[in-house]
Amino acid sequence: MESLAELLEQELEGAVEVKDKQSLHRYITLLTENLVRQDRNEREHTEFREAILRIDTRMEEGFRRMDERFAAVDKQFESVNKRFEDVNRHFDDVNKRFDDVNKRFDDVNKRFDDVNKRFEDVHKKFTMLFSFITLGFVLMATLMSIYQFLG
C-alpha cells in the first residue's frame, strides 16, 4: 500500500502546484487508508455474504433431511398404527368369542340351577318320605310293644 501512496503522491505533485508537501502527504495517506478500509470492508462483506450463503445452504439441506426423517418416522408410525389396528381387531374377535363362551356358561349355569332345584325338590321329598317311614316304624314298634305288654 505504501507504493500506491508514493505513486499517487508523485503523480499529484507533478500534476498540480504543491504549496505544502506535508499536507499533500497527509491527504494521500488519508486517501489510501480510506481505500484500504473500503477494500477491506468489501472483502469482509463478500466473506460474510459467502458465509451466510453457506449457512443458508446448510440450513436448507438440514431442513430437507429433517423433512425426510419426519416422513420416515411418519411412515413408521403409520406402520405401527396398522399393527395396533390389526391387534385391536384380533382382541375384538377374541372378546366376541369370550362373550359367546360366557353366554354358554350362563346357559349351563341356568341348567345347573334347574338341576339344583330338582335335586332340592327330590331331597325334600326323600326327606319327607324317610321321615314318614321312620315315624311309621317308630309307631309300629311302639304299637307292637304296647300289644306285647298288654297281651
Side-chain angles (χ1 to χ4, degrees), residues 41 49 51 55 59 72 79 105:
N41 285 344
R49 187 163 192 258
I55 290 171
M59 285 178 65
S79 173
F105 275 123

Side-chain angles (χ1 to χ4, degrees), residues 145-151:
S145 297
I146 291 176
Y147 281 129
Q148 272 184 354
F149 186 68
L150 292 176

Side-chain angles (χ1 to χ4, degrees), residues 63-120:
F63 286 134
R64 185 188 59 76
R65 280 189 265 148
M66 287 300 290
D67 287 342
E68 290 172 359
R69 288 181 187 158
F70 283 134
V73 168
D74 281 347
K75 286 179 184 176
Q76 288 177 344
F77 277 125
E78 287 172 5
S79 173
V80 169
N81 215 8
K82 286 179 184 176
R83 289 183 197 152
F84 276 123
E85 287 172 1
D86 291 343
V87 168
N88 216 6
R89 276 190 229 123
H90 178 70
F91 276 123
D92 287 344
D93 291 343
V94 169
N95 248 351
K96 288 177 185 175
R97 290 179 189 159
F98 276 123
D99 287 343
D100 291 343
V101 169
N102 274 341
K103 287 177 186 176
R104 290 178 187 162
F105 275 123
D106 288 343
D107 291 344
V108 168
N109 268 343
K110 288 178 185 176
R111 289 179 187 162
F112 275 122
D113 287 343
D114 291 344
V115 169
N116 274 341
K117 286 179 185 176
R118 288 179 191 163
F119 275 123
E120 286 174 3

